[in-house]
Amino acid sequence: MKGTAYRDFFNILETHNLYNPEHHNKSELTYKLNNNEIEFISVDMPQKIRGRKRNTLWLNEANEFSFEDWVQLSLRTTENIYLDFNPSDPYSWIYDNVINREDCTFIKSTYLDNPFLPEETIKEIERLRDLDSNYWKIYGLGDMAQPTETIFRQFEICNNVPEQAQLIAMGMDFGYSNDPTALVEVFKLNDNLYLNEVLYSKGLTNQDIAAELRKHS
């Protein structure tokens, strides 16, 4: 934290001749400005996260916080909450628990909306267009990332397998406790493959799996 928002905050104060060392409590990471007390909290400070209340909360790089952090902080904030983040984690709690709330306003911005961005940083971001499509999607376009572990990235989801498609195979991935056992039907129509999920479940024994396979033999 001290290398990001904390440092930037005091750099801005000093640039505008607003910094007063008498208002800066370095041990408590607080600063008093115009009758307001600003407190900086890091993700590795759980006692502060569950500490005192505040009027306004700003989560910088919000996807670095856990959902539990969010719950504790939001319960102790009486007025407005602001979050900023890069969409680099498609499974973040922000998408499921914040953005879809009725009282949430979502603003999407990109590097083009930042008038203070150095020219060299702009050039580095724009190089991503040709270097890495996923990074360009995140940092150039401000779109949600695609999971890096995704094997097949070019696909579409359809409601039904076309009737003309031919069943050519079945595919299975074994699992048990941590990972589910998965079974899919593979269909082909012209140059397109269609996968139909048949089974996706944890805790199945070999006998259970065999019984499921017999249903589709």
Side-chain angles (χ1 to χ4, degrees):
M1 179 193 66
K2 288 186 177 181
T4 54
Y6 185 81
R7 180 191 60 194
D8 292 342
F9 175 76
F10 289 105
N11 284 342
I12 292 171
L13 288 182
E14 291 174 352
T15 299
H16 295 279
N17 296 317
L18 296 174
Y19 179 72
N20 185 339
E22 295 181 0
H23 296 167
H24 188 185
N25 188 326
K26 295 183 179 181
S27 60
E28 293 295 324
L29 300 179
T30 62
Y31 188 83
K32 292 185 178 180
L33 179 66
N34 298 332
N35 297 321
N36 297 301
E37 183 176 60
I38 301 170
E39 180 182 26
F40 293 85
I41 302 173
S42 176
V43 292
D44 57 358
M45 302 168 68
Q47 73 280 6
K48 289 288 187 70
I49 288 177
R50 292 162 178 78
R52 56 187 174 182
K53 293 184 178 180
R54 66 198 62 81
N55 300 109
T56 301
L57 171 69
W58 170 39
L59 295 184
N60 176 231
E61 298 291 350
N63 49 342
E64 297 294 330
F65 290 80
S66 68
F67 178 62
E68 174 65 19
D69 294 335
W70 158 257
V71 171
Q72 297 298 330
L73 289 166
S74 61
L75 287 175
R76 291 167 173 79
T77 304
T78 58
E79 296 179 15
N80 299 316
I81 301 178
Y82 301 91
L83 289 74
D84 73 65
F85 65 99
N86 283 311
S88 55
D89 180 6
Y91 304 118
S92 173
W93 52 268
I94 299 173
Y95 298 112
D96 296 328
N97 301 101
V98 179
I99 289 180
N100 56 5
R101 288 173 48 151
E102 293 181 357
D103 59 350
C104 173
T105 299
F106 176 65
I107 301 173
K108 173 184 170 181
S109 63
T110 72
Y111 70 103
L112 296 175
D113 300 302
N114 186 351
F116 305 103
L117 208 59
E119 185 63 29
E120 283 305 313
T121 303
I122 293 175
K123 290 180 180 178
E124 286 301 318
I125 292 174
E126 293 183 339
R127 286 190 181 99
L128 295 174
R129 183 189 286 110
D130 300 319
L131 291 176
D132 190 297
S133 60
N134 206 37
Y135 278 153
W136 170 246
K137 188 176 182 181
I138 299 168
Y139 300 106
L141 303 178
D143 292 333
M144 186 189 299
Q146 197 167 46
T148 55
E149 66 271 18
T150 300
I151 298 174
F152 300 106
R153 300 190 178 188
Q154 302 296 327
F155 66 89
E156 296 179 3
I157 298 176
C158 57
N159 294 325
N160 302 102
V161 176
E163 293 183 2
Q164 307 94 317
Q166 180 183 2
L167 177 65
I168 59 173
M170 298 190 73
M172 187 170 67
D173 184 24
F174 287 94
Y176 187 68
S177 57
N178 294 328
D179 298 312
T181 295
L183 177 66
V184 296
E185 296 173 324
V186 183
F187 295 84
K188 183 178 181 182
L189 178 62
N190 300 324
D191 293 329
N192 296 319
L193 291 177
Y194 295 85
L195 305 183
N196 180 46
E197 181 183 302
V198 174
L199 176 67
Y200 191 80
S201 182
K202 294 181 180 180
L204 297 180
T205 64
N206 289 339
Q207 290 78 8
D208 295 330
I209 296 172
E212 289 292 336
L213 288 173
R214 280 193 289 270
K215 294 179 184 178
H216 301 277
S217 60

